[in-house]
Amino acid sequence: MIFEPELETLPNDRLRELQAERLAATVRYVSKRVPFYGETLSAAGVKHADMVPIEDLPTIPFTRKKDLVEHYPYGLLAVPKEEVVRVHASSGTTGKPTVVAYTAADMDLFARVVARCLALGGGQPGFTLHNAYGYGLFTGGLGLDAGGMRLGMAVVPASGGMTQRQVTLISDLRPEIISATPSYALTLAQELRSRGISPEENSLRYAVVGAEPWTEPMRVEIDATLGVRCTNIYGLSEIIGPGVANECIEERHGSHIQEDFFLPEVVDPQSGDPLEDGEEGVLVLTTLTKQALPLLRYWTGDITSLSHEPCSCGRTFARMSQIKGRTDDMIIIRGVNLYPTQIGDVLGLVRELSPHFKLVVSREGLLDEVEVRVEVTEEFFRAVSVDMLSDEVVEADHVLRSCRERTKTLLKDSLGVNAKVTLLAPGEGPRSEGGKLSRIEDHRNLN
Ligand code: DLL
């Protein structure tokens, strides 16, 4: 179902008009209310009284994470503090978190866009949503909660962690749909299996997963082990939280961006110049109706590309491809730029390997080394163990070596990277305990 069909299927010209009106209103709004924008816009020669035509969007300077950090906590607020009804924060890796604020109208928008996303991913009124995103300062838990209720679902606020209890809740409350990080969805699937509950037996049909980069091999694994069709949900605290975009269940090929509220661009990571559809670059988002913390041309750091191809689901909103990673997740191994998701995609080509992997980066002398630690599948592990036990140790060694060598060659041929490959037994690799999973262990001392 489409949650707001009259808006989500707007003809392109009407959508462009709506975006243009809202952009002009937002530019006027922020230049009057936020001193930071008043200054940056006039320095860039954008007069707040001007109608900023959408084609002139690139004349507006980018807003970056550092601007939020420098104005911590409330320096970019566009409303008096008394109008704020909620704050959230995203945990930066270092120093202070980024605090974001919402008015009552912003909270209403938050619930609406998440309700749209859940409907995109198969949610329906009357369903039960098992929400395994963390509740608290993170926008995931409370965001999915509000959206689930807005769509008319019964929300189970499971939050992250306490995996045993989650599995009991899933068995007893029989939710049709689940929301979680993709890595935690796999943890839950494994726990269900270890309790002897097969994918066909559990009640789940849909999963809305995101908040961290993930890959096609993970999609296959989540679908198979949870017995669902999973879709990608994308968002970030600075823009609203989850709810910026979601894949439709019909195509699962690119996430529809809620373009009537968030104006997307993809730009060149170096020059900042706008890129064409299909070209990969940094996603830049402008909020079009937000009150407390409107942002112009926010540099998300996330690498993706846009598509305006029509979609069989009937929605007219542009789609963004799966996020390859954040610009700051990129590692450079002997001159080769790499995102962990690229490694994950290649590992998916090797039959014996599971999607559970981690990269360990170190420096030997002047050269960077990368070790890929990846779990083998249960089936492969069992077969090799049988050989080991029946004294076919040489055969088992041979099979393991062949798997390692094939993986190494594939990584070299597809990505140009010389990696050490270490095979792990099932369960030895990284697992999410409920939140976002980090796939890089960096032992280089780069400072
Ligand atoms: O992760 C919001 C969210 C919650 C999205 C629940 C989806 C579901 P932050 O903690 O501020 O907000 O982190 C935002 O996470 O800039 C991306 O780098 C990454 N990210 C979010 N969704 C995806 C996704 C929430 N579907 C940052 N694929 C973003 C890849 C994602 N990366």
Side-chain angles (χ1 to χ4, degrees), residues 340-396:
T341 50
Q342 291 175 291
I343 303 257
D345 280 329
V346 172
L347 298 178
L349 302 173
V350 183
R351 202 179 58 250
E352 297 92 333
L353 301 182
S354 83
H356 302 286
F357 74 97
K358 173 174 215 167
L359 307 181
V360 181
V361 186
S362 55
R363 179 165 283 184
E364 299 283 327
L366 288 175
L367 292 175
D368 290 341
E369 309 275 345
V370 64
E371 177 188 354
V372 177
R373 293 189 188 162
V374 55
E375 281 182 26
V376 298
T377 62
E378 299 267 357
E379 299 68 41
F380 182 63
F381 184 70
R382 235 176 287 125
V384 173
S385 309
V386 168
D387 273 352
M388 292 272 196
L389 290 175
S390 56
D391 273 352
E392 302 278 354
V393 180
V394 177
E395 174 60 17

Side-chain angles (χ1 to χ4, degrees), residues 2 16 40 59 73 85 105 136-137 158 212 216 223 341-342 385 415:
I2 302 185
R16 291 306 268 178
T40 46
T59 61
V85 301
L137 284 172
E212 65 186 3
E216 282 309 302
D223 280 3
T341 50
Q342 291 175 291
S385 309
L415 303 172

Side-chain angles (χ1 to χ4, degrees), residues 229-413:
R229 275 171 68 76
C230 65
T231 56
N232 180 51
I233 182 165
Y234 170 81
L236 62 166
S237 323
E238 297 91 315
I239 294 300
I240 198 149
V244 173
N246 208 102
E247 285 172 337
C248 58
I249 195 73
E250 290 85 353
E251 298 253 335
R252 300 202 295 176
H253 191 66
S255 302
H256 289 280
I257 303 173
Q258 314 294 339
E259 271 196 281
D260 47 346
F261 296 122
F262 312 113
L263 184 60
E265 299 168 83
V266 168
V267 304
D268 183 279
Q270 262 77 48
S271 67
D273 293 339
L275 296 175
E276 298 290 319
D277 273 15
E279 293 181 330
E280 218 169 58
V282 173
L283 179 67
V284 169
L285 291 166
T286 298
T287 64
L288 292 176
T289 61
K290 269 183 68 196
Q291 292 183 338
L293 190 67
L295 293 177
L296 298 181
R297 302 197 81 209
Y298 186 69
W299 185 277
T300 65
D302 293 323
I303 302 290
T304 186
S305 62
L306 292 179
S307 158
H308 287 84
E309 288 289 302
C311 184
S312 67
C313 75
R315 291 175 184 84
T316 46
F317 292 163
R319 283 178 278 175
M320 56 185 258
S321 63
Q322 276 295 56
I323 302 278
K324 198 169 180 185
R326 299 178 58 78
T327 36
D328 39 4
D329 288 340
M330 192 182 78
I331 49 175
I332 305 177
I333 301 296
R334 304 191 183 189
V336 180
N337 298 354
L338 266 186
Y339 288 94
T341 50
Q342 291 175 291
I343 303 257
D345 280 329
V346 172
L347 298 178
L349 302 173
V350 183
R351 202 179 58 250
E352 297 92 333
L353 301 182
S354 83
H356 302 286
F357 74 97
K358 173 174 215 167
L359 307 181
V360 181
V361 186
S362 55
R363 179 165 283 184
E364 299 283 327
L366 288 175
L367 292 175
D368 290 341
E369 309 275 345
V370 64
E371 177 188 354
V372 177
R373 293 189 188 162
V374 55
E375 281 182 26
V376 298
T377 62
E378 299 267 357
E379 299 68 41
F380 182 63
F381 184 70
R382 235 176 287 125
V384 173
S385 309
V386 168
D387 273 352
M388 292 272 196
L389 290 175
S390 56
D391 273 352
E392 302 278 354
V393 180
V394 177
E395 174 60 17
D397 263 355
H398 173 74
V399 170
L400 286 171
R401 193 170 331 114
S402 143
C403 175
R404 256 196 317 266
E405 287 307 316
R406 261 181 297 128
T407 310
K408 230 174 123 51
T409 309
L410 263 177
L411 287 167
K412 175 82 189 146
D413 291 350

Side-chain angles (χ1 to χ4, degrees), residues 30-87:
V30 295
S31 48
K32 282 196 207 114
R33 289 174 174 244
V34 185
F36 164 78
Y37 277 123
E39 287 154 27
T40 46
L41 289 172
S42 68
V46 183
K47 293 196 202 76
H48 65 249
D50 288 352
M51 276 284 285
V52 179
I54 229 159
E55 307 76 61
D56 286 356
L57 189 57
T59 61
I60 298 177
F62 296 116
T63 307
R64 293 178 187 264
K65 179 104 176 173
K66 77 164 183 15
D67 299 318
L68 289 169
V69 172
E70 279 168 19
H71 293 88
Y72 174 88
Y74 291 131
L76 295 186
L77 266 197
V79 295
K81 245 226 53 245
E82 298 68 48
E83 286 180 34
V84 170
V85 301
R86 166 69 63 77
V87 295

